[in-house]
Amino acid sequence: MAGNWKMYKTPAETIAFFEKFRPLAGQAAHCEVVICPPFTNLAAAVEAVKGTRIQIGAQNIAWAKEGAFTGEISGPMIRAAGATHAIVGHSERRQYFSETDETVLKRTQAALEFGLAPIVCVGERLEEREAGKTEAVLAGQFEKGIAGLTPQQFAKIVIAYEPVWAIGTGKTATPEIAADAHRAIRGRVREKFGAAAADAVRILYGGSVKPDNTRTLMAQPEIDGVLVGGASLDPVSFASIVNF
Ligand code: PGA
């Protein structure tokens, strides 16, 4: 159960969030809980979750270890801050910051090289869905952004299916629509990495996940977890998603 805070919260607000969230979900044992705050809050978040089962992730990661890359943050820096995960290829990165499947693959490889678990996002835009291209778009994102990993690397990633039309819009994919997309992605995984890898990989659903729709989404065997934006900003609401 992953929370993506996007560009919200200061370090003080991060500490305040965890004061409330820790007693509600800090020891949740039925799942992994990962919260991805802005880079500037990683240290405060890591400190705030000490002694709990909550893990902290970044929202992006540079493909290089270090160098002249103004504005980027590298894997070793994220690791040194105490984080364990990194979101890669979120649709907002693709849409506003020219992220491509090629850079998604490079960033994913960097995360793995530096010991971070990548949460790799894929998903179709509204016009692609309406044109009946959902499966083709997912296949293309998989082929160019994920299939280049080695089987050993692939075994360490988490995939997040986030239909762009459902993000921040209040329009959740129905559990059936989400499950169909997950099945399509898992099908590609099976072709490329084999049946065991397809069974083992965790595929999260993201896009307007709220406390009141988590249970029906999670009831789909295809949906292994959720990646939550807006509803992860409030400790009570994210705790009720975690404890669905
Ligand atoms: P949302 O965002 O839950 O606010 O729709 C999901 C995401 O972008 O990860």
Side-chain angles (χ1 to χ4, degrees):
M1 310 304 266
N4 168 17
W5 282 2
K6 310 195 177 187
M7 199 170 71
Y8 290 98
K9 295 193 194 291
T10 61
E13 289 165 343
T14 298
I15 291 164
F17 172 94
F18 283 110
E19 307 242 295
K20 293 219 181 93
F21 185 69
R22 268 190 321 251
L24 301 174
Q27 302 305 331
H30 61 285
C31 63
E32 279 190 79
V33 179
V34 183
I35 292 187
C36 303
F39 289 119
T40 45
N41 302 350
L42 286 178
V46 166
E47 182 63 32
V49 300
K50 279 203 177 127
T52 73
R53 297 191 72 252
I54 306 161
Q55 303 173 82
I56 301 300
Q59 295 174 17
N60 188 18
I61 176 170
W63 57 71
K65 178 178 174 216
E66 60 184 6
F69 296 101
T70 302
E72 289 286 289
I73 310 280
S74 74
M77 295 169 186
I78 295 166
R79 269 292 290 253
T84 50
H85 290 67
I87 297 174
V88 178
H90 190 277
S91 66
E92 286 148 20
R93 302 290 322 162
R94 294 176 188 258
Q95 187 177 351
Y96 304 125
F97 303 101
S98 308
E99 193 79 58
T100 64
D101 294 323
E102 289 72 20
T103 56
V104 167
L105 178 60
K106 285 166 73 175
R107 291 183 199 275
T108 302
Q109 288 165 330
L112 292 164
E113 180 180 347
F114 299 116
L116 296 159
I119 302 171
V120 185
C121 303
V122 296
E124 80 287 0
R125 297 195 307 267
L126 182 60
E127 61 272 24
E128 294 167 332
R129 171 160 289 270
E130 286 175 343
K133 292 188 184 148
T134 299
E135 286 205 17
V137 168
L138 296 174
Q141 291 173 338
F142 178 82
E143 203 47 51
K144 293 199 260 70
I146 297 177
L149 298 173
T150 66
Q152 291 76 13
Q153 289 174 324
F154 181 80
K156 297 194 180 117
I157 78 165
V158 174
I159 297 174
Y161 168 62
E162 299 207 310
V164 180
W165 47 270
I167 295 178
T169 56
K171 282 191 216 158
T172 331
T174 62
E176 292 73 25
I177 288 179
D180 279 348
H182 285 215
R183 241 187 309 278
I185 296 165
R186 224 179 275 282
R188 305 324 279 201
V189 174
R190 191 170 297 110
E191 275 172 23
K192 173 72 197 172
F193 295 105
D199 289 345
V201 67
R202 286 175 292 175
I203 306 180
L204 314 183
Y205 167 77
S208 297
V209 175
K210 307 286 176 220
D212 61 6
N213 59 28
T214 303
R215 185 183 283 272
T216 51
L217 287 163
M218 290 300 293
Q220 292 285 336
E222 273 292 341
I223 300 181
D224 303 309
V226 289
L227 177 54
V228 186
S232 73
L233 293 168
D234 176 73
V236 174
S237 120
F238 191 50
S240 84
I241 288 173
V242 167
N243 298 319
F244 70 97

